Amino acid sequence: MNWCTLSQTKQDRIWSEVNQLIKWKPGSRCHHIIPPDPYRVFDISSAMSSKSGHDDVSEVLSDLETSILKAFQLCTGKNDVMYALDWQHDGYMFSPHQTMPQDEFGDWPVPVFPNGDYYFFFY
């Protein structure tokens, strides 16, 4: 089964490393994240606006999920695993090369597009 919940000990260790790596201080007033080089930022705000020509935001989010999954697969080997962290919620270990389960809303256990939380995907 893909998407295995991480133990609290494992989550705590990974979060400690993440916080040091990206210089993030969760709970502070300004949550500026400083990713290490190299990194890429993708701005999808124009696709989410009503002026984008997309009548259905779910289509944009589905395209985003497909693109991110392909990127994860290109960055990992068939037997590699990734971590998906959702601040103040369960974290997971998963393989982007296996079936990606979805919940009743069509989302992964940790969705690609944040719903107000901080999500981190690491390899």
Side-chain angles (χ1 to χ4, degrees), residues 2-3 77-78 80-82 93-100:
N2 211 7
W3 290 83
K78 290 277 186 195
D80 291 333
V81 295
M82 292 184 63
M93 181 174 61
F94 72 100
S95 168
H97 298 279
Q98 293 182 15
T99 301
M100 300 296 277

Side-chain angles (χ1 to χ4, degrees), residues 56-114:
D56 187 6
V57 172
S58 64
E59 178 186 333
V60 173
L61 296 178
S62 178
D63 289 347
L64 173 66
E65 188 176 90
T66 299
S67 297
I68 293 295
L69 181 58
K70 286 179 185 176
F72 289 168
Q73 290 169 343
L74 288 170
C75 293
T76 59
K78 290 277 186 195
N79 297 318
D80 291 333
V81 295
M82 292 184 63
Y83 297 105
L85 302 179
D86 179 355
W87 192 54
Q88 296 187 332
H89 297 281
D90 286 337
Y92 296 87
M93 181 174 61
F94 72 100
S95 168
H97 298 279
Q98 293 182 15
T99 301
M100 300 296 277
Q102 296 179 336
D103 63 15
E104 65 271 17
F105 305 107
D107 290 329
W108 298 349
V110 176
V112 170
F113 189 78

Side-chain angles (χ1 to χ4, degrees), residues 21 35-41:
L21 182 68
D37 285 325
Y39 67 91
R40 280 202 177 160
V41 175

